[in-house]
Structure formats: structure tokens, C-alpha cells
Amino acid sequence: MKRIGVDVGGTFTDLMYWDEDGSVAVHKVPSTPQDPSLATVDGVQQLVDKVGISIDELGHFLHGTTVATNIVLEHNGSEVGLITTEGFRDLLHIARKKRPLNYSSYQDLPWQKWQLVRRRSRRVVPERIDATGEILVPLDEDAVREQVRVLKSQGVRAIAVCFLHAYRNPVHEQVVKRIIQEEFPGVFVSLSSEVAPQYREYERFSTTALNAFVGPKVSNYIDNLANTTREAGVRGDIRLMTSAGGLITSRRAADNPVLLLTSGVVAGLLGGCAIGKASGYPSVITLDVGGTSADIGVAPDGRLRMKHLLDTRIGDYHAMVPMAEVDTIGAGGGSVAFIDEGGMFRVGPRSAGADPGPACYGRGGAEPTSTDAMVAMGWLRANSFLSGAMRVEPELALKAIDEHIASKLGSTVEHAAIGIFQILAHAMTEGISLHSVRKGYDPRDFSLVAEGGAGPLYAWHIAEQLGIPRVIVPHHPGIASAMGLLATDIRVETPATVWTSSADPDTERIAGEFDRLSAQAVEQLAADGLRPEDIVLERSLDCRYIGQGYELRVPAPAGEIDTGWIARAAEAFHDVHERTYRQRFDDKPVHFVNVRVTAIGKVGHVPLAEIEAGGADPSAAIKTTTEALFWTDDNEPRPFTTTVYDRTLLQAGNVITGPAIVEQFDSTTVVGPQQRATIDPVGHIVINTTETQGGQR
């Protein structure tokens, strides 16, 4: 089965091809922000031409995209209407009554300034269901028809339906959906009972409205991409990466686009997990640095950590959908360096993007970027970009740094260039610390996997700063997210609120919900073409102590759900609570809030083949030597004679001593002064940051 993984980033679109015979090929093309599908289809055609196959031989097309995320961040979604329970019209406006600036009377609340649904489009109808699912006020269907007609006259493109306690009984929302389809055919419909069937009114309403906000544009994008690839000859369905780290079909993604909000970001973490396991270091921190941003993930023992559902935000909005613990900061190869109004030297988060790009690209960009700084330091050579397919002009980089930074600070271009690098590296170091040390993980117990086009340029220094013992640079670091697409399974997660406690457990309800969710998840995967023997079910619980306001996710024990099972589940929660907060209260009852079933459809993963072994001497891979800037202990820049290697000629067992530069098609790796790197059996560069050539640091 031939597969291709495509990850669309802000600057480049990355592609990876894999055949079951073990052959692998990668490609990279500039993204087309005006229509991301253009770069996708062009890149696929170029890659299949490169490997010498016909495009109709592709069986699986796997895709990670930032389209949904960009719509939310840029506030350019579709006009949305809302139908809700009488009395709850302004719930989205009120939210949780939190204020970003506690003591300011004059501030814009983001969810009010950029409303998902304008007030005139928030319509109410008589209906009421209580927290047990009992109907207190029957749905007024005539009122529903009237409000749907009002929304149609307003020209909305999507309608969100959010009723109180619909997570316990969805019957009223289902009736409304039928009426909408009769009165307003073709409009995008988002039901809270389908998008986020669990308690917490505001978060459920926000998630459902967000799904409607991005729905029409994302659905059109998916449909256009599916049609374009089908016309080009791709036979298989498109499967898209979700924020939870699994794949879903294009049909399911078009119905629930809110699941795609951190699509491409998670793919990089999954790729890093596969890379770490292949090198024998399963606990990894991933640093995926692209042109616009840096994505940071922490995976102890190679396992994804899931965010708490009250922390799953995208931009200014709550999105109560499963999201892997990956965070993004505005630091990338295109991050612009500038002197602000107060005279401070700053870098990012604004990016030069794909167009015009860094000054050295010669496409009209005049401001210095991180990439220009590394060109000025000699780390990126003029003919090294995309193996020489993309020329850069070093003199333009030097000019931009001099005009915008060095001359204003009264420094040299060399000092300014190193300053740009160090400022951005510090931001990444702080980001890793925030998501490791401050969450109870010691980075010294992990390996740093350097991904993206720029990750291997920064990783050597960041690992030194944090005491991380090694850096792993994968065989194709610039394509790690595309590899992550090829290293994951189809995944469907379905939740339900049970609201019971270990003091007086409703075991019948817990068992019933687990059975219902399991059957629903298996049915969904079967509809996607998976065989029963390829489906694995995982059960989990959202638990808290009585009186707490937040839950923790806990793996559900195996076996029959009885009083013994309840005791084991409570004990598992005590353990997780102690791991998270360093406190446990064994004598307190445990509140079981939600149950979850995750159905995993197993697909064959891309195996990492071993490369040809050689001795310790890497001299056969040397391209040249160059003078590159590094800094001494007093932070003074000085040129170091630096060996430049061709990554494609390195063999397993080769040992590289720093400073060194390793060039390849999709990235460039820097090995710092006094560092030592080895090539492992699968071709990864493993940089040891704690031992120097002469012994311990």
C-alpha cells in the first residue's frame, strides 16, 4: 500500500511518501496561503514524479492542516446563527465572567469583541430538559421554524443548536436539525449533542458555535481538496489528523471541523515519538520549528499527554474537544527582528511568512529575520537551501540586519545576528521549561527531538541550556510532521456525562454508557472501512474529588463494573491526582463526571529502516569547511573553522565533532563547539550535549 502524508504549514508544505516495500521519499514546496490545496496538489504530483509512480497508485492520502486554526485566529469564519433555550441567549457573551486584565475597567473581552455569533443572530425557543434528561417544557416546533426563517433571511451560513442539558437527552436538538434541513437546506448545522456531548454549558456552547464558525470554509476546503486530488488520480480517501493525535475520514472532518484545530501541530509530536522510540529513547520533548512558529510537546515514555478540557482553547475561544498537550509560540525561521518604540531589541512573534519571506530570499522582504541571522553567521550557506533548488542572497541578509538592528544599537552585524538567534532560542527554552519543569517533568530525563526546517539549528544550544543530555535529529527533520501522519492510527473518541460518585455509585449507568459509547465508536470505524479485528477500544474517566471544579483523566480499570471496579477506579484517580498535584486524599469520595471511549483503528505504520553502517570516520561525507560564527564564554562572536557534511553520505556509526554543519534537502543541523554527534543505526543524528570531546563539561 503506497501512502503519502502532507502537512501544510504557514511557510512550507511538507510531503512524505512511503511504500510497503520500505522505500521512502520526501519533498517540500512553498505553501500557497490564498489556497492551501494548490501547494498540496502540486507537491503530491512533484513527489510521485520524483519516485517514478503514477498518482493513481496512492492508496492512502494523509493530511494535516492549519486551515481551521487560521480561520479562528484571523477571525474570518462564516456568519453563524444560534438557536438555544429560552433564557440563555447571552450565555456566549457572558462566558465565565473572567477578565484578561483584572483591574482594568476599559478592556476588550476577546469573546465579546470578536463574537462567534452576533446577538441579532442568537435566537431562543421554548423548550427545557433537566439535568436527568427529563423533558420539562416540550419543544415548540412552530417557534423553531419561525426562528430558522429569521436566520435564513439574515443570510447566515451556519447554525449552531445548543439546548440546556442536551448532553443528557438530545431529542430536541435532533428535531431542530430536521426542521433546519427542511426550511434551510444546504446550511451547515452544528448540534451540541454531537459536537460536545458533556456538561458545562459555556464550553459546550462555545465549542458548538466554533464548529459552526469554521464549518463552511473547512468543509469547502476539504471538498475542494478531495475533488482536486480525485481529478488528479488519487484513489484513496483523504484522512485528516485531529487535535487528539488520530486520523479521521474527510466525511467526519467535514461534519466536525472543530476536531482539526491543532491538526498539523500534533502530527509533529507523533513523529517525534516514533523517532525517539526508533533511536531507543522513548521519552521525548519535541521542538518543531517552522517558518512562522515553534511547536513544543512533551511525551513521557512516548505517550501523548492530553490537555484538560477546560484548557483546550484555540485563540480566544474555548474548544471542549480532545487535544494533545502541544503548545505553539511565535518563534520560527521567518520571525522578524526589530527595535521597538522603547528601544528594546525584540524578535517575533510577527513573521515574514512565505511571502515575501526573509530578506535573503530576494522576494522583496526588507526586514531581518531569524533565517537572515543564520545566513549572516555562516550556518546557512547560499547554495544549501532545498539542496540548492532555492538560492539565497547573503548580502541582502547582512544589509537588513545592519539597517534595522546593528546601526540602531551601535553594534556590529555579527553581534546583532547572534543576538537575534539567542533571543529566539531563549523564547523556545522558556517554552520548553513551561511545558516540562512547571508540569512536574525534568527535561534532563528526556531527549530533545529537533524537527522542522529550523529545529536542528536551535536544538544544540537549547539542550545545553536546559541540561537535556541529547538531541535527536531525525533522518528528515523538515518533514517530521508529515512522517507523524504516517505513524498514527485512525482514532475516534466519544464522551458521556455520568455524574456519580464512589460513595454512592451508579454502576448500571456507567456500564450502560460505556457499552453505548463502545458500540457507537465501533460503528463509526466500521463505516470508515475498518475490520473488527483492527479496532482497539480504550476506556477512561474524568474524575475529581467532591467539591473540586476540575477533573483529571484516568484510565478505566478492566473487568466488570461493580463495587470492586469502582474502588480500583478511585485508587487510580488518587494516583493520578498525586502525580499531578503532589497530594492525595484516600479518605475522600471520588466524583466520576464523564466516561470516555476511544476507538483506535490500527493501520500499518511506517517502519524506520536501518541505513548502511560505516566506521567512526565521517570524512567521506565532508563537503567543505567554512568559517561560521559562534560565541565564547564572554559571549563574544568569533569565527570557528567548521566542517560541512552532506547528510545523505553519512553512515551509521560515523562520529562528528563540533563545530559542524550537516546539510540536507529539508533542513540544516548545527553541532555546537565541543559537542559530539553520532549517526545511529536508523540514520538519526544523536548529539551528546553533556560530554565534550575532552570529557565532562
Side-chain angles (χ1 to χ4, degrees), residues 169-485:
N169 185 350
V171 61
H172 284 176
E173 289 194 350
Q174 292 168 350
V175 171
V176 173
K177 183 176 183 178
R178 173 178 55 80
I179 293 173
I180 292 173
Q181 291 170 339
E182 293 172 358
E183 296 286 341
F184 197 173
V187 73
F188 187 92
V189 181
S190 179
L191 301 187
S192 76
S193 55
E194 295 177 351
V195 176
Q198 51 197 308
Y199 98 109
R200 293 189 188 275
E201 286 82 10
Y202 168 64
E203 287 78 14
R204 180 162 53 89
F205 277 47
S206 174
T207 305
T208 308
L210 201 57
N211 192 62
F213 186 69
V214 303
K217 288 189 175 182
V218 174
S219 296
N220 286 340
Y221 168 74
I222 293 172
D223 290 343
N224 289 340
L225 181 60
N227 292 335
T228 304
T229 54
R230 193 177 300 114
E231 290 170 1
V234 177
R235 294 182 291 108
D237 181 34
I238 297 174
R239 290 176 176 170
L240 295 101
M241 175 66 71
T242 71
S243 57
L247 296 168
I248 56 176
T249 61
S250 60
R251 172 179 56 84
R252 202 172 310 284
D255 291 339
N256 293 286
V258 73
L259 297 175
L260 306 179
L261 286 175
T262 56
S263 170
V265 175
V266 179
L269 177 55
L270 287 167
C273 291
I275 289 158
K277 290 176 183 176
S279 289
Y281 305 104
S283 292
V284 298
I285 295 172
T286 57
L287 177 67
D288 188 348
V289 187
T292 306
S293 60
D295 303 321
I296 297 165
V298 179
D301 296 321
R303 300 189 312 270
L304 298 191
R305 294 185 301 144
M306 303 303 290
K307 289 185 178 181
H308 188 281
L309 285 178
L310 293 185
D311 294 330
T312 52
R313 301 172 63 95
I314 184 71
D316 303 314
Y317 308 106
H318 279 280
M320 197 166 57
V321 294
M323 287 188 184
E325 187 81 62
V326 184
D327 287 276
T328 300
I329 61 174
S335 293
V336 174
F338 62 100
I339 308 299
D340 68 14
E341 294 178 355
M344 294 293 291
F345 185 5
R346 299 178 62 186
V347 185
R350 185 166 59 88
S351 173
D355 187 16
C360 63
Y361 284 8
R363 296 176 177 172
E367 297 178 290
T369 66
S370 166
T371 297
D372 294 307
M374 285 186 263
V375 169
M377 290 190 290
W379 297 4
L380 297 174
R381 300 188 306 139
N383 60 350
S384 67
F385 281 64
L386 300 183
S387 297
M390 181 176 180
R391 293 285 300 178
V392 299
E393 302 178 48
E395 62 277 8
L396 294 179
L398 296 171
K399 178 182 178 183
I401 294 172
D402 185 31
E403 290 183 358
H404 292 271
I405 305 296
S407 62
K408 293 182 179 180
L409 295 178
S411 73
T412 64
V413 171
E414 291 80 8
H415 275 98
I418 286 178
I420 293 171
F421 171 83
Q422 291 182 334
I423 289 171
L424 213 57
H426 178 73
M428 298 178 198
T429 302
E430 286 296 295
I432 292 174
S433 177
L434 178 65
H435 297 105
S436 58
V437 176
R438 300 185 196 181
K439 295 190 177 181
Y441 295 98
D442 188 339
R444 293 173 296 185
D445 297 333
F446 291 76
S447 298
L448 182 62
V449 178
E451 302 175 354
L457 291 158
Y458 284 94
W460 70 274
H461 176 68
I462 292 170
E464 278 192 348
Q465 298 300 301
L466 289 169
I468 298 173
R470 72 191 62 81
V471 173
I472 303 174
V473 182
H475 206 277
H476 300 291
I479 317 291
S481 290
M483 177 188 172
L485 293 166

Side-chain angles (χ1 to χ4, degrees), residues 512-533:
E513 289 291 5
F514 270 135
D515 289 343
R516 181 180 68 83
L517 296 177
S518 298
Q520 178 181 328
V522 170
E523 182 182 354
Q524 289 180 356
L525 289 187
D528 294 339
L530 278 101
R531 302 173 301 175
E533 58 267 30

Side-chain angles (χ1 to χ4, degrees), residues 474-518:
H475 206 277
H476 300 291
I479 317 291
S481 290
M483 177 188 172
L485 293 166
L486 299 172
T488 190
D489 299 304
I490 296 176
R491 183 185 182 102
V492 173
E493 181 175 297
T494 52
T497 298
V498 292
W499 205 264
T500 187
S501 79
S502 61
D504 183 23
D506 187 345
T507 55
E508 184 177 345
R509 176 165 176 74
I510 294 175
E513 289 291 5
F514 270 135
D515 289 343
R516 181 180 68 83
L517 296 177
S518 298

